[in-house]
Structure formats: C-alpha cells, structure tokens
Amino acid sequence: MVTTHNLGFPRIGERRELKFALESYWKGELNEAALQETGTGLRNRHWRDQQQLTLAPVGDFSLYDQVLDMSSTLGNLPVRAGESDENELNRYFRIARGRSPADSNCCGVHAGEMTKWFDTNYHYIVPEFDANTRFALDSTRLLTQLAEAIRAGVNAKPVIIGPVTYLWLGKSKDSTDRLSLLDDLLPVYGQLLQRLADEGVEWIQIDEPILVTELDSQWRHALNRAYHSLKASPVKLLLTTYFGQLRDNLQLACELPVAGLHLDVISAPNEVARITDWLPGHKVLSLGVIDGRNIWKTDLSAALDWLEPLHQKLGERLWLAPSCSLLHVPVDLNSETTMDPEIRTWLAFARQKLKELQLLARALDEGREVVANELASNASAVLSRKDSTRVTDPEVRRSVAAITPAMGRRNSDFQTRSALQARHLRLPRYPTTTIGSFPQTREIRETRLKFRKGELGQDEYQNLIREEIRQCVRKQEDLGLDVLVHGEAERNDMVEYFGEQLEGYVFSRFGWVQSYGSRCVKPPILFGDISRPSAMTVDWIRYAQSLTDKPLKGMLTGPVTILNWSFVRDDQPRKDTCLQLALAIRKEVLDLEAAGVNIIQIDEAALREGLPLRQSDWQSYLDWAIEAFRITANGVKDETQIHTHMCYSEFNDIIEAIARMDADVITIETSRSDMELLDAFKGFSYPNDIGPGVYDIHSPNVPATEQIVSLMHKAAERIPAERLWINPDCGLKTRSWDEVVPALEGMVAAARALREA
Ligand code: GLN
Ligand code: ZN
C-alpha cells in the first residue's frame, strides 16, 4: 500500500478562528484556557480532515509561528522574554509581538525580527543566538499535541524543524558562529527524539529545506554531523525538503543516514529519476506530487502516467504527499459558494488536495478503474481550463509583444529630476511621510462590508469613504506630516483591491492564508491574461488631493508584488504574467499623473520574496522583475516623483537591482533590525532618496522621539542627510489611532529636531 501523509495543515482555521481567538486574547478579552481550547478544537478538526491519510502531521499547529515554537522547544527564547518560571505563553508572545514600555509597569521588550520563510509570503520569527546561547529541551507543547492526537486516534507523525535548518534560519547577535552551536544543539534534538519515541512515535518528519539552497562545505558538513549523531535515535526520520531542487545537494540528501527522504516534485520534477537511482534501497521516498503552494487542480492522470512505473519499482517504499506544508493554501474550496463556477472547477484547496492525494494512492494500489469516475471528472476539469477562451486575450498578447525598452526609461537622470521635483514640491529637509494605509477601524471595515453585501448604495459608500479620507487628511495635516496619503480606507488588501478591478482574476471569499501571527491574506487568483478595463484609484486620490495644499502621494501596488502575492497561473512563465500586470498598472500611473497627482508610490513590498532560493538564479528573476517595475513607473514626466516601498526586505544583496528601478524615493523596513539593513550602503552608494523605516508598525510599541533621532543619525552615517526621508517601516492599517498618533507625533518631532540641529 502506498503510504500517504501530509507535511502540515493550515492552522488559522477555515473561518480564521485562530486569528480571532488570538486577537481577543491579546486584548485581554479571552483567557488562556479559552485560547488553548480554540487551538485544541482546530487541531482535532484538522486531524479529522486528514484521517484518510496513513500519517497525519502533529506539531505543525502553532499559536504564532512554527520557528518560534522550535525556539521555545529548544529553550532558546531570547533572555528578554522573561524568567523561565514565568507564564510560558506570555514569554512566547513577548518575543512574537514585543511589549511596549507604556504597556506595563516594567520595561519595553522588542519583538523578535521577522523574515520571510524561504520564498513564501509566510513570515517567521528569527531565532537569536549569541555567545551565551545554551539549549535545553522543553517538549511540553509537542507532547501535549501528541497526546491529543493519540487520543483522537491519529496515526501521528510529529513535525519538527531540523537542527541545521534551525541554525541557518537564525541570526547571531554577536560574532558567534551559528554552526559552533551545533554540538550543544544535537543532544537536545537527541532527547527530543527519545521523548517522542517514548510516546510510541514511529516516524518523525524532520524538515531541512536548506537542502534546496546553496550550501558551502561547512553547512554540508553540519548536515552530515547532525544526522550521523541523530542516527542512534529510536525513531525513523523522514528528511524533508521543499520549495526547490536539490541539485548539488542531491547526493548528500540521499546519503544522510535517515529512514526516508521527501522531495518537492512540483519544484523538482527533473530530480525524481536521479533520486530513485541514488536513494539506498532501504529508504522510503516520499514524493510531493500535489502542489502545496498553489490552488490548481492536479492533473491526476498525467501524474499517474509517471507514478505507476515508479510504484512498480519502489513498491512499499513509495510515499505520496503534498509538495510542502499546506500552510500556504486556503482550507476548503467548498466554502466558495459564490465563486465563478467555471473557474472553481479548476481549483483545489487544502481539503481537496488531500482528496487528490487519496485518489492517486488508490489508483496506484487498486488500479485506475476503481476511481475511474473521479479521474474522469478531474480530466474534464483540467481540459476545460486548458481550452477555456477566458484564459487568453489577444489584445493583451499584442500589447506585451509591443513593449519597447524606451517604455522603461525616465526622460532624465535622477539629478535632473530631483532638482525639478524640489522646485515643484518644496519639501523641507528630512521630509516626513507614511507608507500609505492608516488604521482600518471597525467602521471602515463595516462600511466596506455593507457595500459588498449591497446594504450600502454606491453614493452612500462613496460619501462614507470620502469622509474617512477627509478625516485622514485632516489628521495628517494636524500632525504636520509633509507628504500626505489618502489612507487606503477603500482597500481591504493592497493586492486584492487591484486584482478585483483587473480582468483575468477571480476571488475567494474565505481563501485566507497566514502571513504572520494572526495576520492572514487572501491572495487573489490570477487565471487569465490581465487587462485594466478602467481607472482603479484615480477618483479617491484626486478627491484626497483636493482637500489639501500639501503634496498628496497616490498609492499603487506594483506588478511584481501583485504577482508574488497572488495565486498565479502555472501554464505560462511568471515573467509573462508580470509584464501583463506591468502594462495594466502603467496605465493607472499615467492616469494619476494626468489627474494632477505629483507623487506616486508603487509598492513593491514583495519584490525580494520572489527571489529564487539559489543566488545563481537571481539575476534572471531580477532582470525581468526590475524591467516590469520600470515599465510600470517610468512613463511619467520628470516632475512626477516616483516612490516605491519594500517591507521586510533585506536587500543588501540586491541593492544594485533596487537602484536600477530608478525610483526617486524608496522607503524600506529597518527598525526591527536596528538599521542593519543600511549596511548595504557601505559598499554601494545608493543614488536616489531613501526613507529608512523608524517606526516598527508590526509591534504595538510606540517609539520615542529620541529613538527616532538616533536611528536617523545612524542612517545619516551611510546616506547623505539631504537624501533621507522619515517614515514608518510599513503601512499603519493594523495599528489603532491611539498608537499611530503618538508615534507619528514623535516622528514629526524627530524631523524638527534634526532640521534644527
Ligand atoms: N501602501 C501599503 C500600506 O500602507 C503598503 C503595505 C505594505 O508594504 N505591505 O498598507
Ligand atoms: Zn511594507
């Protein structure tokens, strides 16, 4: 029998139950027991969803982040989390979210740094190491979940992050070499495996996704050392990789002394044959054949065509699974009762993917005949997508073919433009601005929801949003900000908002995917050629500009970010889709300019996360991504100031590509990493204006004016002061006004102090 298993199930809940429970808990409206009960309920429900599988994951559930969980399991929460005899959950959330000095009678605690989980839009809390780092096992969380699973009759396969990937994901806070910690770490892993074995566990999924990245000899050696040391454990280890090809690590992955290997076949279809040859005969080969990161139905018959002979060859050694954890897809397509029915038939969410897995396994075990009906309906859905006339638009194809390099170039160089813009805009030194969104209050959400449900007419809706814009502009004037924004009250999400107005997209109602902690996004589904039937933002921005004499910045999302934050088609290269998006947003840029908007920000928050995992693949991605941005932005007059924004982008290593975007101003995230990002500017003199974020909007902490001044001093060591802007490090939509107002007051006061000095 083919063994089926899953690498991880989305934990936020079909209706985002976990999100709401967490947020109530943080507000003090829910107690710890009730929060834990929500977790238990979700886990049990998710195990029921997976009961057809041979093995179900345990420990994939997390109250905030699986990497932070691992830090806690390894006794490696930073010291500032608090004393170890304190409430564990408080310590945990203190690192997840920080603690404001104003929040308690004690001192502030800064949150752990967050960064992208490989090339996904999930963010994890970066483990911290220093010379004093010592690990000590705390297996409570994992054992509690395991006990629950066993009670629920689950054939449990605990999921943990492997020791070498754990070190690789972390950051050393002093000069400690992360790998020097391996010796101290391995015994703790040994104990953990032993504890799990004591509970009767047979298989453990141990994730080492760094095997799909470029590893130098030290890291490769560390993998060897780690698995030779863990070999003695009385459990079977399934060494798990995902998100890419193994390439030069293939032999290493095959030879590490474990009981099985999982390969992401969606990213590495070309490696299946080599692995089958290399893998020692006693090892299990788990093939991730269902795309765990995208929402298209699998072509089951095509998969069976190549799986059948492999099954013949491998027999019991063949396992099947999704390519990676299903964390990256929504829970259930059946919730989508209002989705375009034709397109719906092309899709599969987590529950549907597990069904596909089941079908494949049955077809292999018992023959295709036993699932003939299911295979036929799958084949007809796959064919209907291939043949649909809704997927291609000849007009769009013609426009893309007609793109010229000149479309991606400004008329003049930055010096010339910047002089013209200065004359026009008359901004002070250290201009202050924000990244676009202002707090999305309950009223704003209700207004949008009512409009969506048809409970508000177009005019009423417009008046209410205009009122929000008016108040937002007024508040910014009162605060004394220099470049204002309209506040994005009409936007539920910076990608969905545009997707909804573009041709070629459909939307889910409940297709939430966790981004970090309790934050979820609902990626729109890009299924066909992209065009823009009419202007998307011009009316709102023009209205906002009419309310103030200060310059108002129009707000758009760039093509690369729209691409990276959507579920995109898998039937053409990403590059082709990106260029279509670029042409559509370019039209919007030109319409804004024609409407008298002098500053236009094109957010490319997600540019970096689209980077291939291996540096050797970066150049080709950056070439087309930057070109797409340039085509979007650079059709404007010299007087028009183009801004772009990137969040959580460590861009030291792509600074030259960022410079090639040639945006007049770029705003970036920096505050959580203490201006470390600015190291990029040591070796490379970034030519244009830059606003390093001075207010960490992902934490409820309000920065003090002196702190902002000192951050700006640090920035001025790297970048000439006349090219510095002052801004938060991202949009303010998740914060409340009573956090935002003092923070922005501090920012404006800091700008004044700097100007005076
Ligand atoms: N303009 C967007 C906002 O302020 C940018 C958000 C982001 O970068 N993630 O919300
Ligand atoms: Zn941002």
Side-chain angles (χ1 to χ4, degrees):
M1 290 268 280
V2 175
T3 296
T4 54
H5 70 120
N6 185 18
L7 275 54
F9 197 85
R11 55 214 179 200
I12 205 74
E14 193 177 357
R15 291 290 184 274
R16 290 181 295 162
E17 293 87 335
L18 181 59
K19 171 196 177 68
F20 299 119
L22 282 169
E23 291 173 358
S24 307
Y25 172 78
W26 293 330
K27 277 193 227 139
E29 293 165 8
L30 196 74
N31 63 25
E32 179 173 345
L35 174 65
Q36 299 290 14
E37 211 173 287
T38 305
T40 304
L42 285 168
R43 288 191 290 272
N44 278 297
R45 194 207 289 165
H46 298 160
W47 285 322
R48 273 198 299 282
D49 286 335
Q50 302 177 85
Q51 72 194 1
Q52 303 295 322
L53 300 175
T54 323
L55 291 165
V58 170
D60 56 330
F61 182 88
S62 173
L63 285 176
Y64 200 95
D65 165 44
Q66 73 270 15
V67 181
L68 187 61
D69 285 359
M70 205 63 216
S71 291
S72 154
T73 302
L74 298 169
N76 189 40
L77 289 184
V79 177
R80 64 180 187 281
E83 295 298 322
S84 54
D85 56 359
E86 226 199 293
N87 177 296
E88 185 56 25
L89 204 57
N90 290 347
R91 298 179 69 230
Y92 178 86
F93 285 135
R94 216 165 273 155
I95 299 306
R97 314 178 61 233
R99 179 175 68 188
S100 166
D103 252 25
S104 70
N105 38 23
C106 177
C107 37
V109 169
H110 64 93
E113 190 180 333
M114 250 192 324
T115 196
K116 306 278 179 196
W117 176 245
F118 295 87
D119 57 353
T120 72
N121 180 30
Y122 176 79
H123 306 64
Y124 71 92
I125 304 280
V126 178
E128 297 175 26
F129 308 121
D130 60 31
N132 297 318
T133 298
R134 295 289 173 278
F135 301 100
L137 182 64
D138 178 353
S139 51
T140 328
R141 175 193 57 91
L142 204 51
L143 291 183
T144 310
Q145 294 187 20
L146 182 61
E148 275 174 6
I150 292 169
R151 263 202 305 283
V154 172
N155 196 2
K157 176 199 59 175
V159 177
I160 58 177
I161 294 170
V164 188
T165 291
Y166 178 74
L167 291 177
W168 188 90
L169 292 169
K171 247 191 189 174
S172 173
K173 294 279 143 179
D174 52 21
S175 56
T176 305
D177 172 13
R178 284 171 292 170
L179 284 177
S180 72
L181 302 170
L182 189 62
D183 282 336
D184 190 47
L185 183 59
L186 289 176
V188 179
Y189 268 84
Q191 290 160 26
L192 175 61
L193 299 185
Q194 180 66 54
R195 288 293 291 117
L196 294 169
D198 293 345
E199 300 303 319
V201 163
E202 183 188 4
W203 279 95
I204 291 177
Q205 171 188 324
I206 191 158
D207 290 4
E208 290 286 7
I210 62 163
L211 277 161
V212 306
T213 68
E214 276 143 354
L215 296 177
D216 64 21
S217 57
Q218 291 188 4
W219 286 95
R220 295 162 60 95
H221 180 63
L223 282 161
N224 260 312
R225 260 185 41 225
Y227 288 89
H228 278 93
S229 130
L230 298 179
K231 179 168 76 174
S233 301
V235 278
K236 294 182 184 156
L237 296 181
L238 180 71
L239 182 73
T240 303
T241 70
Y242 36 79
F243 302 149
Q245 303 174 350
L246 293 165
R247 296 195 202 170
D248 50 340
N249 299 324
L250 186 140
Q251 189 180 347
L252 173 67
C254 289
E255 288 175 355
L256 288 173
V258 289
L261 175 67
H262 173 84
L263 176 78
D264 172 345
V265 178
I266 303 301
S267 330
N270 55 325
E271 293 186 333
V272 175
R274 271 181 69 208
I275 292 195
T276 316
D277 291 344
W278 269 106
L279 201 69
H282 63 275
K283 286 192 191 179
V284 154
L285 176 57
S286 163
L287 293 180
V289 290
I290 308 283
D291 194 341
R293 285 180 65 172
N294 212 335
I295 40 63
W296 305 107
K297 266 193 181 142
T298 309
D299 184 341
L300 296 176
S301 304
L304 285 170
D305 287 345
W306 66 268
L307 279 172
E308 278 164 351
L310 204 66
H311 182 227
Q312 288 287 322
K313 192 160 160 185
L314 295 174
E316 299 278 298
R317 290 172 57 215
L318 177 66
W319 288 22
L320 292 182
S323 59
C324 59
S325 166
L326 297 177
L327 177 67
H328 310 287
V329 293
V331 177
D332 195 351
L333 187 65
N334 289 328
S335 306
E336 302 300 332
T337 48
T338 54
M339 189 186 279
D340 181 313
E342 180 183 5
I343 290 162
R344 214 185 93 137
T345 59
W346 305 344
L347 309 180
F349 291 176
R351 288 195 176 122
Q352 289 68 42
K353 284 173 186 289
L354 293 177
K355 289 240 167 66
E356 290 185 340
L357 195 62
Q358 214 46 49
L359 280 172
L360 286 177
R362 274 198 75 193
L364 290 178
D365 285 334
E366 301 167 42
R368 295 196 199 198
E369 321 74 64
V370 296
V371 286
N373 288 342
E374 290 88 340
L375 290 181
S377 91
N378 170 268
S380 91
V382 169
L383 194 69
S384 124
R385 180 175 167 218
K386 250 183 217 147
D387 287 351
S388 171
T389 51
R390 297 174 63 188
V391 172
T392 26
D393 177 343
E395 181 63 37
V396 173
R397 308 247 141 196
R398 271 194 295 277
S399 314
V400 170
I403 291 175
T404 61
M407 287 168 72
R409 280 195 297 266
R410 297 288 292 260
N411 296 327
S412 311
D413 63 14
F414 174 71
Q415 302 315 331
T416 315
R417 284 167 4 224
S418 137
L420 276 170
Q421 290 162 17
R423 218 173 309 144
H424 240 70
L425 298 169
R426 310 194 156 282
L427 294 169
R429 233 173 194 232
Y430 296 106
T432 51
T433 190
T434 61
I435 307 304
S437 58
F438 268 84
Q440 294 243 332
T441 57
R442 195 162 44 86
E443 293 77 56
I444 294 180
R445 288 178 206 282
E446 266 168 21
T447 300
R448 277 202 316 261
L449 191 69
K450 281 191 188 151
F451 178 54
R452 227 165 236 270
K453 287 194 188 149
E455 291 166 21
L456 278 179
Q458 177 66 41
D459 286 352
E460 280 169 297
Y461 175 70
Q462 181 172 8
N463 288 340
L464 287 168
I465 296 289
R466 283 190 166 198
E467 180 53 26
E468 290 295 342
I469 293 176
R470 211 174 54 77
Q471 284 178 22
C472 183
V473 168
R474 160 90 44 83
K475 287 206 173 109
Q476 294 172 79
E477 284 189 328
D478 292 348
L479 283 162
L481 290 159
D482 301 307
V483 170
L484 312 193
V485 295
H486 78 296
E488 302 182 21
E490 79 287 11
R491 302 184 191 173
N492 37 350
D493 173 272
M494 65 187 283
V495 170
E496 190 177 49
Y497 180 76
F498 291 92
E500 277 179 340
Q501 301 183 73
L502 293 169
E503 214 50 72
Y505 264 108
V506 285
F507 296 85
S508 64
R509 274 182 67 203
F510 301 102
W512 297 102
V513 177
Q514 194 174 9
S515 166
Y516 68 90
S518 66
R519 289 273 296 141
C520 298
V521 293
K522 192 147 56 69
I525 298 167
L526 191 162
F527 70 89
D529 287 347
I530 293 294
S531 58
R532 186 200 70 148
S534 53
M536 304 181 280
T537 62
V538 177
D539 284 346
W540 300 123
I541 309 285
R542 194 195 291 132
Y543 174 71
Q545 180 67 83
S546 76
L547 302 169
T548 178
D549 294 330
K550 293 219 169 163
L552 190 121
K553 178 162 71 164
M555 223 25 86
L556 301 173
T557 304
V560 187
T561 298
I562 296 185
L563 181 87
N564 285 341
W565 284 352
S566 298
F567 286 120
V568 295
R569 44 204 290 199
D570 55 359
D571 59 349
Q572 72 179 15
R574 295 171 75 81
K575 170 189 172 191
D576 297 2
T577 306
C578 197
L579 283 176
Q580 294 182 358
L581 288 164
L583 287 180
I585 308 295
R586 176 185 169 97
K587 287 195 179 141
E588 190 71 15
V589 170
L590 297 176
D591 281 356
L592 280 174
E593 181 180 56
V597 180
N598 297 318
I599 307 185
I600 300 168
Q601 176 169 313
I602 304 164
D603 289 325
E604 283 295 17
L607 187 109
R608 193 180 201 287
E609 78 194 42
L611 275 177
L613 288 171
R614 287 173 193 262
Q615 206 145 359
S616 55
D617 299 335
W618 283 13
Q619 203 52 51
S620 63
Y621 163 76
L622 287 171
D623 285 349
W624 60 254
I626 301 302
E627 186 58 17
F629 178 87
R630 295 177 59 109
I631 287 163
T632 308
N634 290 351
V636 296
K637 296 180 296 202
D638 286 345
E639 291 81 353
T640 301
Q641 188 172 71
I642 295 287
H643 289 216
T644 189
H645 164 71
M646 306 192 171
C647 35
Y648 288 100
S649 309
E650 296 184 10
F651 59 63
N652 299 23
D653 40 12
I654 55 166
I655 183 86
E656 291 178 43
I658 304 280
R660 267 195 285 137
M661 293 166 81
D662 202 20
D664 297 301
V665 183
I666 179 172
T667 56
I668 54 175
E669 185 276 346
T670 36
S671 61
R672 264 198 190 195
S673 62
D674 199 25
M675 294 281 155
E676 248 172 61
L677 273 177
L678 295 173
D679 287 350
F681 300 88
K682 256 193 276 181
F684 178 81
S685 77
Y686 182 77
N688 304 1
D689 281 12
I690 186 155
V694 291
Y695 162 26
D696 173 11
I697 66 88
H698 296 88
S699 145
N701 295 358
V702 170
T705 304
E706 310 77 68
Q707 193 186 335
I708 297 177
V709 170
S710 113
L711 283 170
M712 291 309 294
H713 279 313
K714 272 199 188 173
E717 288 166 16
R718 298 262 189 271
I719 297 144
E722 63 276 12
R723 289 206 266 111
L724 285 173
W725 288 60
I726 305 189
N727 44 262
D729 66 7
C730 198
L732 303 168
K733 67 191 259 186
T734 57
R735 300 265 63 96
S736 64
W737 276 106
D738 38 305
E739 291 162 334
V740 161
V741 168
L744 296 182
E745 277 168 357
M747 227 179 70
V748 172
R752 292 214 179 100
L754 286 159
R755 283 170 201 152
E756 276 158 26

